[in-house]
């Protein structure tokens, strides 16, 4: 790693010695650096995306023609359950969080996240949970009751065995990881921003990640309660969801969807932040209406908690309640509409460069608007009651998630790949990737609207030729093949560009935010001198002799802590050294949760190593002790 321009080589060497991870496998296992954790989070989530896509490909192959015998009903049930669980819990939320864990510290001028060891623990727990799910699928004991696991189907009466318990514990692992990520983002944003970056100067992506993190904090406890209650019904014989014993099956739906609907926006809100950064950079203008954009993000976060019942219109909700939730469902389109208006105004006033990231943003607008229109349709109770259990809902869900989440995400990959690797992705391959992805997504999912209107129900593994659903299903399967080709092209582009892509330099796009003010890839310490922010567009508004913060120690991992509102320097904080204890604690957590699925003795088996791990985590090392002594001597 070479020092950035203007950085003293001696200081660079000292900072590298303090902040750099150890080399080799041990260094990889013990790393607590946010970029290292962020990269492995992104790669792991993308691997789960490929596995979830493989599940979907098998389902589409099965449905390509009537009475197909490729996959039996039991395996099909496992595939659609694991597909949904993967995409919602193992790909979409984790990868959005991962983008924040990598880029937010860089964008706010920090050297690491607020709690580095906790960050590493969150990643390991997430990896163990996802691996557990796929091991069960390979053993033909994967969950088979859908990614929402409705009771009473998921209860002990209709789903004996351990399949549902596998699903519940996988969700528990991902809840822990998501909550860890949310805490990291909130504290880092509030307390580690560079001086001068007051709240009204934060990049819109950082605002989006902050809103998302608070949404996770408020949403995850509900699904945690739901899965805990389900596990209690199944493993120790409570009857919380059993109407025959005084329980309530609808309680599950309320708990699940109070989390489940905001989860869609937990995926969507960070994507809005990505869109804003890309639009601003490639039009060379600050996004029009910054206060309106921030308020729209916050409003979207609030409103997303007010419409969970529109998933339950067919459960006999009173008409007054249905009217309220219909109105809320319509109302949430308003802040999104405001943001689209601001982006259009920015593009209108600027000179857009039609690079690959920008093409993906245009694809996002088209695809997401189709999903939004069908969302307005099913917010109407009479229509929802007709379409609720049909492929129309499958089409709507995928248009919203792929349009609102994955299109901006691919744009963000092309946008930030040079910062992560120091190399540019190929524009030519990227344009082919975009074209195939756009065509494939629409060819796959638009026919599903028509299948739903013609009455094809969800979650069926086959159908009769007389239904007439064969041609549209074949068309959707052809679209899925094109989607696969586009993703393969993306992976080829990533691999080739990593090897021989053009060198990117510090800021190949002339972007305005702080992460582009350091080398590509960034050094282990991010910034040799903490920058001082002079305007909302940190690099565009920077004066020629821009000030920086000096005086932080180079013989220990010292960071600057700033005030919440105005980011004024408050005090210094010493970060702990990298350690293996987050990994060991995550393994202990895995032993506890997984053995609990099979025996109540899992509590005894798991609690001992978990306790030892927590003690080891907090036990100071000799190096920590020496640093503390130097810190006290300097004070």
């Amino acid at each position: 790693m070479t020092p950035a321009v203007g950085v003293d080589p001696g200081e660079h060497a000292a900072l590298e010695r303090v902040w750099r991870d150890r080399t080799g496998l041990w260094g990889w296992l013990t790393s607590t650096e946010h970029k290292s954790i962020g990269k492995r989070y992104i790669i792991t989530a993308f691997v789960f995306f490929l596995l979830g896509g493989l599940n979907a490909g098998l389902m589409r192959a099965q449905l390509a023609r009537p009475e197909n015998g490729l996959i039996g009903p039991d395996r099909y049930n496992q595939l659609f359950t694991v597909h949904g669980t993967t995409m919602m819990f193992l790909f979409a939320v984790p990868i959005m969080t991962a983008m924040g864990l990598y880029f937010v510290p860089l964008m706010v001028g920090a050297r690491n996240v607020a709690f580095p060891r906790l960050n590493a623990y969150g990643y390991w727990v997430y990896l163990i949970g996802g691996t557990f799910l796929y091991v069960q699928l390979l053993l033909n004991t994967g969950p088979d009751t859908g990614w929402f696991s409705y009771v009473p189907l998921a209860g002990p009466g209709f789903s004996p065995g351990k399949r549902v318990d596998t699903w519940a514990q996988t969700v528990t692992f991902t809840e822990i990881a998501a909550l860890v990520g949310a805490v990291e983002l909130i504290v880092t944003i509030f307390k580690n921003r560079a001086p001068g970056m007051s709240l009204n100067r934060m990049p819109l992506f950082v605002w989006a990640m902050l809103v998302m993190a608070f949404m996770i904090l408020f949403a995850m406890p509900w699904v945690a309660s739901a899965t805990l209650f389900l596990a209690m019904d199944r493993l120790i014989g409570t009857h919380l969801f059993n109407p025959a014993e005084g329980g309530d099956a609808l309680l599950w739906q309320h708990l699940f969807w109070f989390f489940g609907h905001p989860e869609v926006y937990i995926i969507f809100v960070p994507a809005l932040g990505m869109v804003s950064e890309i639009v601003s950079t490639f039009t060379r203008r600050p996004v029009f209406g910054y206060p309106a954009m921030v308020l729209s993000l916050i409003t979207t976060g609030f409103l997303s908690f007010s419409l969970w019942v529109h998933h339950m219109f067919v459960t006999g909700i009173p008409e007054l309640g249905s009217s309220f939730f219909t109105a809320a469902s319509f109302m949430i389109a308003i802040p999104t509409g405001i943001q689209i208006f601001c982006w259009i105004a920015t593009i209108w006033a600027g000179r857009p460069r039609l690079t690959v990231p920008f093409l993906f943003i245009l694809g996002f607008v088209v695809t997401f608007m189709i999903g939004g229109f069908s969302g307005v349709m099913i917010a109407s109770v009479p229509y929802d009651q007709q379409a609720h259990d049909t492929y129309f809902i499958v089409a709507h869900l995928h248009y919203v998630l792929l349009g609102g989440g994955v299109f901006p995400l691919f744009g963000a990959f092309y946008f930030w790949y040079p910062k992560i690797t120091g190399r540019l992705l190929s524009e030519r391959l990227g344009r082919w990737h975009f074209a195939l992805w756009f065509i494939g997504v629409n060819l796959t999912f638009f026919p599903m609207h028509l299948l739903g209107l013609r009455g094809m129900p969800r979650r069926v593994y086959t159908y009769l030729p007389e239904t007439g659903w064969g041609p549209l299903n074949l068309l959707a399967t052809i679209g899925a093949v094109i989607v696969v080709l586009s993703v393969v092209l993306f992976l080829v582009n990533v691999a080739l560009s990593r090897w021989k892509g053009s060198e990117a330099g510090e800021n190949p796009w002339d972007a305005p935010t702080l992460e582009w003010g350091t080398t590509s890839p960034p050094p282990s310490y991010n910034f040799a001198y903490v920058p001082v922010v002079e305007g909302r567009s940190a690099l565009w508004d920077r004066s020629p002799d821009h000030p920086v913060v000096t005086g932080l120690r180079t013989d220990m991992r010292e960071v600057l802590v700033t005030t919440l509102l105005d980011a004024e320097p408050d005090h210094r904080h010493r970060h702990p050294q990298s350690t293996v204890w987050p990994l060991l604690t995550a393994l202990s957590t895995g032993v506890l949760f997984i053995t609990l699925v099979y025996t109540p003795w899992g509590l005894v088996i798991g609690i001992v190593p978990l306790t030892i791990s927590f003690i080891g985590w907090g036990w100071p090392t000799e190096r920590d002790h020496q640093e503390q002594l130097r810190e006290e001597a300097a004070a």
Side-chain angles (χ1 to χ4, degrees), residues 15 108 213 284 292 299 355 455 497 532 544:
L15 286 167
V108 302
R284 198 58 174 80
T299 306
T355 57
S497 301
V532 174

Side-chain angles (χ1 to χ4, degrees), residues 161-185:
K162 298 300 180 184
R163 289 181 167 187
V164 175
D165 304 302
T166 299
W167 176 86
Q169 289 301 60
T170 298
V171 173
T172 303
F173 281 115
T174 62
E175 291 158 10
I176 294 173
L179 287 168
V180 165
V183 169
E184 295 284 359
L185 290 169

Side-chain angles (χ1 to χ4, degrees), residues 123-403:
Y123 168 75
W124 292 119
V125 166
Y126 157 68
L127 179 63
I128 293 169
T131 305
F132 177 53
L133 178 69
Y134 272 87
V135 167
Q136 296 299 321
L137 179 65
L138 292 175
L139 295 174
N140 200 27
T141 54
D144 56 354
T145 53
W147 75 274
F148 32 74
S149 242
Y150 281 158
V151 294
L153 175 63
F158 293 94
S159 295
K162 298 300 180 184
R163 289 181 167 187
V164 175
D165 304 302
T166 299
W167 176 86
Q169 289 301 60
T170 298
V171 173
T172 303
F173 281 115
T174 62
E175 291 158 10
I176 294 173
L179 287 168
V180 165
V183 169
E184 295 284 359
L185 290 169
I186 290 170
V187 180
T188 304
I189 292 170
F190 277 162
K191 298 303 292 180
N192 291 124
R193 298 197 310 279
M197 188 180 282
S198 50
L199 287 181
N200 62 349
R201 286 180 174 177
M202 285 201 318
L204 287 169
F205 177 74
V206 177
W207 266 112
M209 296 307 299
L210 182 63
V211 172
M212 180 207 75
F214 272 108
M215 291 173 70
I216 287 175
L217 278 193
F218 286 107
M220 286 295 172
W222 296 93
V223 72
S225 303
T227 53
L228 174 65
F229 293 167
L230 180 62
M232 289 167 61
D233 271 13
R234 294 182 57 82
L235 299 176
I236 60 174
T238 60
H239 297 282
L240 292 161
F241 300 126
N242 181 7
E245 298 292 338
D248 187 349
L250 276 187
L251 174 62
W252 169 264
Q253 293 201 34
H254 281 292
L255 290 172
F256 184 84
W257 287 117
F258 195 77
F259 144 82
H261 195 82
E263 191 191 24
V264 174
Y265 290 88
I266 288 170
I267 299 163
F268 178 51
V269 165
L272 297 176
M274 295 171 184
V275 173
S276 293
E277 299 304 332
I278 293 172
V279 167
S280 173
T281 297
F282 292 105
T283 57
R284 198 58 174 80
R285 288 185 63 83
V287 172
F288 175 81
Y290 178 92
M293 293 290 290
V294 173
L295 290 173
S296 296
L297 287 171
I298 297 171
T299 306
T300 300
F302 270 110
L303 289 179
S304 69
F305 285 90
S306 67
L307 47 150
W308 80 96
V309 173
H310 80 200
H311 293 273
M312 301 169 58
F313 282 156
V314 295
T315 60
I317 298 294
E319 286 189 12
L320 182 61
S322 298
S323 303
F324 172 80
F325 288 104
T326 293
S329 303
F330 289 148
M331 199 159 58
I332 202 165
I334 296 173
T336 306
I338 291 172
Q339 291 181 82
I340 291 175
F341 174 81
C342 291
W343 292 326
I344 291 173
T346 308
I347 295 169
W348 187 269
R351 292 183 177 178
R353 289 178 282 164
L354 292 179
T355 57
V356 175
F358 200 81
L359 290 176
F360 273 100
I361 299 312
L362 297 180
F364 147 76
V365 173
V366 173
T367 313
F368 182 71
M369 285 184 70
I370 295 173
F373 288 140
S374 60
V376 171
M377 291 170 69
I378 56 177
S380 169
V381 177
Y383 184 78
D384 181 79
Q385 289 177 338
Q386 296 298 315
H388 185 82
D389 212 20
T390 73
Y391 257 78
F392 191 92
I393 303 298
V394 180
H396 162 71
L397 175 69
H398 284 85
Y399 263 93
V400 169
L401 291 178
L402 292 174

